[in-house]
Amino acid sequence: MELKITDLTKQFKDVTAVDGVSCTMTGGVYGLLGVNGAGKTTLMRMLCTLNTPTSGQITWDGQDIFSMAEAYRRILGYLPQDFGYYPDFTVEDYLLYIASIKGLRPVVAKRRAAELIRQVGLSKASGRKMKKLSGGMKRRAGIAQAMLNDPQILILDEPTAGLDPTERIRFRNLISELSEERIVLLSTHIVSDVEYIAKEILLMKDGRFVCRGTADEMIASMPEKVWSLTVPKKEAEAYLRRYKVSNVKAVPNGAELRILSAEPPAAARSDAGRGPAPAEIRSWQAVRQQEAQLQEATLEDVFLYHFGERSGDGNGEV
């Protein structure tokens, strides 16, 4: 069981959505982590043969997936971010309809639909119309349809988008359960979706894999250090302009900042457009450097390092 991507590129006119990526996936959960527009959906659509690469190759156990055609699609399950359904179908009717499209025999489809309804926790809602389901229930029904053909490759594009924390935890547990004896590729921009269940995380930015490995390996590769520093509220903005700040917590008479920096953070203040004298700057910086406390990095810190920006770098806020 091996899904291999080699030097894969996809261009749309003058835009390179996927830029020469390579990786090899075997059994287990793989997390494709990145912000919107990083190229995740384009990569997944190529893995589902919905888009053809501009260059490069995707193989399944050594065979080109586009040459395999229908044989490849029979072992594939796919849940797009926005999947279609007939709103007046019940959950059971929806699954039986999708099963017929996938070519399952009616007897097999009936049995498989019942099994999956139980597995995704929709037994009490099987007779409800799709339009009456909550967002989390609809996503569970979507996973069930992707699993109808018992695929060896399961591709899920932002499956937790819009879900509350309880449903997100339920999804993580379900995805981990479904990963036995198959490859699951999960795309998300939410770190916690993949931090604890993925055997490998692929961090994608501007169409490339900028970092990859287990959560622990990615944290260990963090080129910057993480500091905690409490400053007066009037000084916080200077730090936001100068550093990548992953968290700001209000505390009495100040703000507690979590800062990414190779050195202990020290920012120069300004007073009505006029900066303090050099000696004052040095004294103030020395105090702040002594107050900064080194912290252990997290996967969110790694994500911010690659995707975050200082508030002074653009219009975004940290």
Side-chain angles (χ1 to χ4, degrees):
M1 181 187 298
E2 181 185 83
L3 183 62
K4 187 173 183 179
I5 301 169
T6 307
D7 296 329
L8 198 67
T9 296
K10 179 63 179 179
Q11 290 182 297
F12 297 97
K13 295 184 178 179
D14 57 344
V15 176
T16 303
V18 175
D19 189 5
V21 301
S22 298
C23 72
T24 300
M25 289 176 274
T26 54
V29 178
Y30 291 79
L32 185 58
L33 186 61
V35 297
N36 294 332
K40 304 188 304 294
T41 295
T42 300
L43 174 58
M44 288 186 149
R45 287 179 61 84
M46 286 191 284
L47 289 169
C48 294
T49 69
L50 297 173
N51 286 346
T52 56
T54 303
S55 62
Q57 189 178 39
I58 307 171
T59 59
W60 170 251
D61 286 344
Q63 291 183 272
D64 183 90
I65 66 170
F66 292 93
S67 299
M68 291 176 67
E70 187 59 33
Y72 174 73
R73 285 185 282 274
R74 280 198 296 268
I75 64 169
L76 178 70
Y78 177 46
L79 176 63
Q81 186 171 353
D82 298 308
F83 66 97
Y85 57 86
Y86 289 106
D88 287 320
F89 275 16
T90 65
V91 174
E92 183 179 19
D93 289 341
Y94 167 67
L95 293 180
L96 293 175
Y97 172 69
I98 297 297
S100 68
I101 293 175
K102 292 189 175 186
L104 273 68
R105 292 185 293 111
V107 174
V108 175
K110 189 84 172 178
R111 183 180 68 249
R112 185 69 178 148
E115 291 172 354
L116 288 167
I117 285 172
R118 286 195 300 272
Q119 189 171 14
V120 301
L122 289 176
S123 295
K124 293 182 179 179
S126 62
R128 291 174 61 180
K129 292 183 177 180
M130 292 289 292
K131 66 182 179 183
K132 298 292 187 180
L133 301 181
S134 67
M137 288 180 171
K138 286 176 183 174
R139 301 306 286 181
R140 280 184 266 159
I143 284 191
Q145 67 81 23
M147 288 290 297
L148 279 166
N149 57 328
D150 195 17
Q152 293 178 270
I153 305 167
L154 180 61
I155 295 179
L156 309 171
D157 192 359
E158 300 279 0
T160 65
L163 300 187
D164 62 38
T166 300
E167 280 288 358
R168 186 169 291 121
I169 292 169
R170 182 195 293 269
F171 254 85
R172 287 204 300 265
N173 294 338
L174 176 60
I175 290 164
S176 183
E177 179 184 339
L178 294 175
S179 67
E180 295 182 10
E181 299 181 354
R182 62 173 53 87
I183 295 170
V184 179
L185 179 61
L186 166 63
S187 160
T188 184
H189 61 275
I190 301 169
V191 172
S192 60
D193 282 351
V194 296
E195 185 170 8
Y196 301 109
I197 64 171
K199 66 181 287 185
E200 185 173 358
I201 298 170
L202 308 168
L203 195 63
M204 194 170 192
K205 181 180 181 180
D206 298 331
R208 299 180 180 179
F209 295 151
V210 294
C211 189
R212 57 186 294 182
T214 66
D216 288 342
E217 288 170 345
M218 294 180 73
I219 291 169
S221 71
M222 180 75 174
E224 300 201 352
K225 296 180 179 179
V226 184
W227 304 87
S228 176
L229 177 65
T230 300
V231 299
K233 289 181 180 178
K234 63 181 180 180
E235 298 174 6
E237 184 59 35
Y239 287 90
L240 291 170
R241 286 195 300 268
R242 181 168 181 177
Y243 296 103
K244 290 182 178 179
V245 179
S246 63
N247 191 59
V248 180
K249 179 182 178 181
V251 295
N253 301 317
E256 183 180 317
L257 309 179
R258 186 176 178 87
I259 298 172
L260 304 186
S261 173
E263 302 294 336
R269 296 177 294 179
S270 63
D271 184 13
R274 181 178 59 85
E280 292 178 289
I281 292 177
R282 289 195 296 270
S283 175
W284 182 78
Q285 286 181 338
V287 171
R288 287 291 173 257
Q289 287 173 329
Q290 291 174 2
E291 293 174 347
Q293 300 295 315
L294 190 62
Q295 304 291 310
E296 290 187 7
T298 67
L299 192 58
E300 285 191 346
D301 294 322
V302 178
F303 187 85
L304 178 69
Y305 169 74
H306 289 286
F307 293 103
E309 60 179 19
R310 299 183 294 273
S311 63
D313 289 341
N315 295 324
E317 296 180 356
V318 176

